[in-house]
Amino acid sequence: MSQWSRFLPFIRPQMVIMACAGVAVMGVAACNLVLIRLAGSLWDLITVQKDLQQLTTMVWMFIGLVVGQGVLSMGHSYMTALASQRVMADFRTHVFSHLHRLSLKFFAKRRTGELISRLMNDVGVIQNLLTETPMDVLKHVVTIIGGVGFLLAMNWRLCVLILILLPLLAIIARLFGKRLKAFSTKIQDQTAKVTILIEEVVSGIREVKSFVQGKREEARFRTAVEGLLSTTMQRAAVLAVFVSFITFCTFVMASAVLWYGGKQVIEGQLSPGDLFAFVLFAGILIGPFGSVARIYSQIKEVQGAMARVFELLDTPLDIQDSPNSRPLVPIRGDVQFEEVQFAYEERPPVLDTVSFSIKAGECVALVGPTGAGKTTIINLLHRFYDPTKGRVLIDGHDARSIQLDSLYGQLALVPQETFLFGGTIMDNIRYGRWDAGEADILEASRRANAHDFIQVLPEGYETLLGEKGVNLSGGQRQRVAIARALLKDPRILILDEATSALDSQAESLVQGALVELMKGRTTLMIAHRFSSIQRADRILVLHRGTIIEEGRHGALLEKRGLYHQLYTLREVEGIAVVGKS
Ligand code: GTP
Ligand code: MG
């Protein structure tokens, strides 16, 4: 129950519309009942009383009711759709707003396809039950109460007969419903699997092609789709039997009613019109009784969907503002790691007692073998994660005491792999500072050595990028990322140098842009290239989560330690080829 109440804030604003829709749907049900009652009377007028004048009046009433019912039905459909779509849009936005604030820890464990499925499919399933089902229930309640009332008033014996037969039908429906439900759950799971597969292949299309795994992916897809097909067909088989069986039962029931009712008509205890109305009433009562089972299974289905959505909503935001966090006034850019220890989940620590400081405006390079913890350090500086022990200080303030938006506002990350959003190049650069004017964007782009290549694109800055911007080269993407960072104009710069080697011309363009970007800022960079390392004021050599050497290039070489080893074995360059963050 408490789970359901969590939807109240989303339903409440739609209450007025839903109430109107509810009144309309009850009106529709009432019209149906009266129409049937009228049909019975019409029958008697034709066969028994043979009164033409009254017949004409009745037919006009009949038409009037049909029109009224139509108008109400239209209103009900539109208002229900409006309320339910609004509830879903608001709830989806609520889930999305929680989703994007979750920490990287959460995303590291999830698949994109699964999250999309929760946000789209599961929320859709819930929405149906929240808005459309209550309308159905209202309609059914009115139909059952009104229908049974009319029947009782006409002939209680026949009514009792129908009330015995209808629940029987409902029980049969319920039995089938259970089996159908099991299949539905399985179909949902299998559909989610297929979605995840598509998402993976599309995201990893380069790997799929280059490792020639197309056939295998196709086979995997075929297996998944065949599994889905098989379950869907099993459900279709059960459904086919169910529909025919229910139809059969309905006819048997109708026969029973016709026989018993017919007998009463022959004996003069019931008018032919009443019998006619009886059969029609019994017909419209089947719906509500049958749907009891359907609604029950729908509730079960929604409970599954709700569990998945709430699991997401209940995942705490572990990186968020603490109650007494303060905004960061424009900062100098001092960075300090104070005995920082960090572990991903319950594993052994990846960083152990890492301490270093970077003075404002200094450029420090992180060097070390693959898996040493370089990316982890910049993740901590960017506060994508919080240290398990120790502190990360910015201008002497614990990063956890600074308001997130204000902290992020002072940092810029140029990652190994630049993510470009679908949209224009202009908007992709503007991502650095959304309120930037066009002149600022052009200026940033010039300083990032990006202006020249953008200008010769077919539509210049308005050129649209495909998903992930596949139409730009690696070096071009990096320069877009640098322009973005320049536009943001942060005090602290975090660079994860791309490992992929660029040709020398592209390399010098990127390096030139980086020099421009680093001017007057604190920089922490993971450097794979000798040229970048040389530019650093200081080098930190990381090995298995601890800093084992520190100093300038020349001094470190003289030490003849790990740095010397990495350098002389040209492993620094080697990592550039094989390393991955
Ligand atoms: P390269 O990028 O290859 O040069 O390595 P790196 O120095 O950047 O290493 P990184 O900081 O990425 O990883 C350090 C250790 O943490 C490695 O042993 C990784 O396996 C581990 N690690 C990195 N990211 C995650 C994560 O998201 N979850 C878990 N559980 N472990 C991680
Ligand atoms: Mg890395």
Side-chain angles (χ1 to χ4, degrees), residues 102-110 318 344-345 384-385:
L102 285 166
S103 71
L104 290 194
K105 197 163 114 193
F106 174 83
F107 291 99
K109 290 187 293 187
R110 306 303 161 120
D318 41 10
Y344 289 98
E345 293 156 62
F384 285 143
Y385 295 91

Side-chain angles (χ1 to χ4, degrees), residues 454-522:
I454 295 173
Q455 245 189 345
V456 297
L457 288 175
E459 311 197 22
Y461 282 86
E462 294 307 317
T463 306
L464 286 171
L465 302 176
E467 201 195 357
K468 295 188 183 173
V470 273
N471 44 4
L472 290 190
S473 75
Q476 290 170 335
R477 297 164 69 97
Q478 282 174 26
R479 280 176 279 155
V480 170
I482 293 169
R484 213 185 245 171
L486 272 167
L487 192 63
K488 187 173 179 186
D489 192 20
R491 289 301 310 141
I492 300 174
L493 189 65
I494 303 171
L495 285 176
D496 199 347
E497 197 172 62
T499 45
S500 55
L502 300 170
D503 64 51
S504 51
Q505 196 206 349
E507 177 69 35
S508 79
L509 283 171
V510 169
Q511 291 295 339
L514 281 178
V515 170
E516 195 59 28
L517 177 59
M518 280 156 48
K519 263 186 203 159
R521 302 178 212 277
T522 311

Side-chain angles (χ1 to χ4, degrees), residues 108 344-345 347 350 369-376 385 580-581:
Y344 289 98
E345 293 156 62
R347 310 235 191 131
V350 170
T370 178
K374 304 182 292 293
T375 302
T376 309
Y385 295 91
K580 228 180 157 239
S581 76

